[in-house]
Amino acid sequence: MSSFLLEIVTPERKVYAEDVNMVIVKGSEGEMGILPNHIPMVTPLRIAPVTVKKKNVEEKIAVGGGFIEIRKDKVVILAESAELPGDIDLARAESAKQRAEQRLGGKNDGYDHLRAELALQRALNRIAVKSNG
Ligand code: ATP
């Protein structure tokens, strides 16, 4: 089975660098499966799990938005944040979820709704990856 190098980097660190057979991401226009020799391109990513297929193993990584850059030699995900299941603190994600829900459900119109909505998406993404991982 042919493979390619997948790197996932955040402003803080390199989270992932492995040879993989396929990666599935959620772009602005929906899910996208990337196999070896994909045409080069750059496209934005949503807050969503990234699925990596490696031999017979499937891994999920919580990516908090960013960009995917498909190059000839490798695929790079430049992520706002990225965590492997083992790095996710479930209690922290649960409390971020509660906080965001309170802000979204509250009557305080002064609150930044978009900010709370994005925080909720990040928390739900982490909870989903942790539960499946
Ligand atoms: P919180 O409100 O809990 O800080 P957040 O969604 O605002 O969550 P981010 O700004 O997306 O957090 O991330 C800040 C840093 O904290 C990143 O390095 C990210 O990987 C890490 N991080 C955030 N939430 C978690 C979590 N539940 N488990 C592990 N790392 C986390």
Side-chain angles (χ1 to χ4, degrees), residues 10 12-13 15 62 64 80-84 87-97 99 103 118-123 126-127:
T10 72
E12 287 154 11
R13 65 194 179 101
V15 175
E80 302 274 352
S81 66
E83 301 94 30
L84 296 163
D87 295 331
I88 295 172
D89 177 342
L90 189 58
R92 177 174 166 183
E94 294 282 5
S95 50
K97 171 175 176 273
R99 228 169 24 244
R103 286 171 184 173
L118 292 173
L120 180 59
Q121 284 181 26
R122 291 195 300 274
R126 289 175 176 128
I127 292 164

Side-chain angles (χ1 to χ4, degrees), residues 15-72:
V15 175
Y16 194 89
E18 304 260 346
D19 269 316
V20 306
N21 303 115
M22 185 180 186
V23 57
I24 303 164
V25 297
K26 199 169 172 194
S28 42
E29 274 151 42
E31 288 220 324
M32 209 172 109
I34 297 140
L35 291 165
N37 303 315
H38 193 286
I39 48 160
M41 63 181 285
V42 177
T43 195
L45 294 182
R46 292 183 187 275
I47 297 168
V50 164
T51 304
V52 172
K53 293 189 182 178
K54 217 170 74 181
K55 293 183 186 131
N56 295 322
V57 188
E58 197 177 290
E59 289 180 287
K60 300 258 187 202
I61 298 143
V63 167
F67 289 88
I68 185 165
E69 185 185 2
I70 303 167
R71 300 192 203 169
K72 276 203 174 127

